[in-house]
Amino acid sequence: MSLNVESLVESPLAAPRPLRLIDDTGRAANPDEAGGLVLPDPATLLSLYRRMVVARRFDVQVTALTRQGRLATYPSALGQEACEIAAVAALGPEDWLFPTYRDSMALLTRGVPAEHILASFRGDWHSGYDQNAHRIAPQATPLATQALHAVGLATASKLKRDATVALTLLGDGATSEGDAHEAFNFAAVWQAPVVFVVQNNQFAISVPLDKQMRCRTIADKAIGYGMPGYFVDGNDVAAMYAVTSTAVQNARAGQGPTLIEGLTYRMEAHTNSDDPSRYRDAGDLEIWRRRDPITRLDTYLGEIGALSDAERADIRAEAEDLAADTRECMTRSAPVDPLELFEHVYATPRAALAEQRAFLAVELAEHAAASVAADTAESSTAQSGGTR
């Protein structure tokens, strides 16, 4: 019996239209598509636009560096800028972000330097940034584990009666994991101040969403947990920001968690080791290219007179400066200290580990002394004109 059994029965319920404020052509959407959402003011939209352009240039540059062999791997979020930037923009400085491995744009937008973001992808550190300083948990590679961590922090926030909100980013594939179910359920039962933003890019590596679940949308699952759920056009940064901001405000006010699904598309491969042509249609890629979140907002801002050619040039220059800085920092060799292997294993070092560290320290010192002696001998030989 094959384990790959596929049902031919389609869901009797038609999928709803996602909420949106700006349509694919860059014009204000009809009120019936907005679902009561209010379009953010032009200044806010211009800020979101700037952040998306800069984040995309960073993503494109890092993808190029990976193809050049400068990084071991990199999961691109090209095309998902609206979800990433809206999520971060909705948070306050006191809030915490729990990202996945694909959310480097979100880290960049929240202020993490490019070199620190890329440290893990280059193999320098598991997490190259100060989590407490940025209030960002380590980028999670195992699916959905960070969702439970977000609920834990949010619950602690509630018990301490502070105003901290936790927001976690998930992919559609992560919602098929048991950890996601546990996080949704615990958050709803405990009314934790947490926001779940699911970037539905429609593929869990090579598995399409319709082979992961039978319900109409991921947002529909919120009903079963007893929390609000929103199905949003994930390429409309205005709608994503409006919904996420409301969810964060509600969580801060003690109204519990919210599940937000942003319908988007992964334009690049899952990672640089993936070949998406084996499992998805190139025609779909072209359809989603015409729904580009940056082009859509550019058109809207231009038509209302909120984005000039001079501003576009200024934003592009900022993006290129970041790309240049990213290239430069990835050409520098990271300092390597083998003794760091022992620094963060246990809070209280164990005797066996201390013994191993001491043994390695002696070996490194002997190697360094031998290298100095060899260099000195070579220098003396060169100064004397060589040996006879």
Side-chain angles (χ1 to χ4, degrees), residues 37 43 124 152 163 198 251 310:
L37 298 178
D124 297 337
V198 179

Side-chain angles (χ1 to χ4, degrees), residues 128-142:
Y129 53 90
D130 186 327
Q131 292 98 33
N132 286 317
H134 296 287
R135 299 181 85 80
I136 302 175
Q139 287 183 271
T141 299

Side-chain angles (χ1 to χ4, degrees), residues 9-196:
V9 180
E10 295 184 359
S11 172
L13 300 175
R17 287 192 302 179
L19 299 175
R20 63 180 179 177
L21 292 169
I22 300 175
D23 66 20
D24 296 349
T25 66
R27 293 177 174 80
N30 296 324
D32 62 329
E33 296 180 276
L37 298 178
V38 177
L39 195 65
D41 62 82
T44 298
L45 292 176
L46 183 59
S47 175
L48 294 170
Y49 174 81
R50 177 183 291 273
R51 293 176 178 187
M52 286 199 297
V53 171
V54 171
R56 174 172 291 185
R57 184 65 186 91
F58 168 78
D59 189 270
V60 170
Q61 181 61 75
V62 176
T63 297
L65 289 169
T66 306
R67 289 169 177 162
Q68 294 167 13
R70 309 273 190 95
L71 299 168
T73 187
Y74 180 70
S76 170
L78 183 70
Q80 300 178 210
E81 293 86 0
C83 293
E84 302 253 331
I85 275 59
V88 171
L91 294 175
E94 72 277 22
D95 299 327
W96 272 79
L97 174 68
F98 288 78
T100 74
Y101 56 87
R102 194 177 299 282
D103 301 320
S104 297
M105 288 186 188
L107 272 64
L108 180 77
T109 304
R110 194 149 169 88
V112 181
E115 186 173 9
H116 295 175
I117 295 171
L118 300 177
S120 59
F121 295 113
R122 193 163 67 164
D124 297 337
W125 280 87
H126 171 62
S127 180
Y129 53 90
D130 186 327
Q131 292 98 33
N132 286 317
H134 296 287
R135 299 181 85 80
I136 302 175
Q139 287 183 271
T141 299
L143 298 185
T145 54
Q146 81 283 359
L148 279 167
H149 302 160
V151 175
L153 184 140
T155 302
S157 169
K158 181 179 179 180
L159 293 173
K160 291 189 297 182
R161 301 182 186 278
D162 65 30
T164 301
V165 173
L167 184 149
T168 182
L169 294 165
L170 299 158
D172 52 282
T175 64
S176 299
E177 295 286 331
D179 295 74
H181 159 73
E182 293 168 1
F184 297 158
N185 195 56
F186 278 129
V189 170
W190 293 337
Q191 286 294 280
V194 61
V195 178
F196 303 99

Side-chain angles (χ1 to χ4, degrees), residues 35-364:
L37 298 178
V38 177
L39 195 65
D41 62 82
T44 298
L45 292 176
L46 183 59
S47 175
L48 294 170
Y49 174 81
R50 177 183 291 273
R51 293 176 178 187
M52 286 199 297
V53 171
V54 171
R56 174 172 291 185
R57 184 65 186 91
F58 168 78
D59 189 270
V60 170
Q61 181 61 75
V62 176
T63 297
L65 289 169
T66 306
R67 289 169 177 162
Q68 294 167 13
R70 309 273 190 95
L71 299 168
T73 187
Y74 180 70
S76 170
L78 183 70
Q80 300 178 210
E81 293 86 0
C83 293
E84 302 253 331
I85 275 59
V88 171
L91 294 175
E94 72 277 22
D95 299 327
W96 272 79
L97 174 68
F98 288 78
T100 74
Y101 56 87
R102 194 177 299 282
D103 301 320
S104 297
M105 288 186 188
L107 272 64
L108 180 77
T109 304
R110 194 149 169 88
V112 181
E115 186 173 9
H116 295 175
I117 295 171
L118 300 177
S120 59
F121 295 113
R122 193 163 67 164
D124 297 337
W125 280 87
H126 171 62
S127 180
Y129 53 90
D130 186 327
Q131 292 98 33
N132 286 317
H134 296 287
R135 299 181 85 80
I136 302 175
Q139 287 183 271
T141 299
L143 298 185
T145 54
Q146 81 283 359
L148 279 167
H149 302 160
V151 175
L153 184 140
T155 302
S157 169
K158 181 179 179 180
L159 293 173
K160 291 189 297 182
R161 301 182 186 278
D162 65 30
T164 301
V165 173
L167 184 149
T168 182
L169 294 165
L170 299 158
D172 52 282
T175 64
S176 299
E177 295 286 331
D179 295 74
H181 159 73
E182 293 168 1
F184 297 158
N185 195 56
F186 278 129
V189 170
W190 293 337
Q191 286 294 280
V194 61
V195 178
F196 303 99
V197 177
V198 179
Q199 299 180 80
N200 177 8
N201 63 25
Q202 303 180 56
F203 285 93
I205 306 183
S206 60
V207 181
L209 189 63
D210 61 4
K211 292 185 179 179
Q212 297 182 57
M213 67 181 206
R214 285 289 304 278
C215 53
R216 300 182 310 166
T217 67
I218 294 169
D220 281 350
K221 296 183 180 183
I223 298 171
Y225 296 103
M227 62 177 163
Y230 295 91
F231 181 50
V232 188
D233 183 339
N235 281 18
D236 177 7
V237 72
M240 286 297 301
Y241 176 76
V243 171
T244 309
S245 296
T246 299
V248 169
Q249 292 167 11
N250 290 343
R252 206 182 310 281
Q255 297 178 32
T258 300
L259 174 61
I260 301 168
E261 175 186 359
L263 181 63
T264 184
Y265 197 80
R266 192 187 74 219
M267 302 301 289
E268 286 280 0
H270 174 70
T271 67
N272 54 298
S273 62
D274 177 39
D275 179 9
S277 65
R278 298 178 61 185
Y279 57 82
R280 67 183 190 185
D281 193 329
D284 291 341
L285 193 67
E286 289 307 311
I287 291 172
W288 281 92
R289 205 182 301 280
R290 294 194 292 271
R291 299 173 180 172
D292 184 89
I294 295 178
T295 302
R296 166 189 314 202
L297 186 55
D298 185 297
T299 301
Y300 177 80
L301 290 173
E303 289 191 353
I304 66 172
L307 179 63
S308 66
D309 288 341
E311 287 170 315
R312 287 189 183 93
D314 178 66
I315 293 170
R316 285 196 298 269
E318 179 183 343
E320 289 303 325
D321 286 344
L322 174 63
D325 290 344
T326 303
R327 290 193 300 271
E328 193 278 330
C329 75
M330 286 297 102
T331 61
R332 298 195 302 265
S333 297
V336 177
D337 180 4
L339 294 178
E340 285 181 348
L341 289 168
F342 304 92
E343 295 299 323
H344 306 288
V345 181
Y346 298 105
T348 302
R350 296 187 177 184
L353 198 66
E355 182 181 348
Q356 292 172 27
R357 186 186 188 284
F359 179 85
L360 179 59
V362 171
E363 188 174 272
L364 291 171

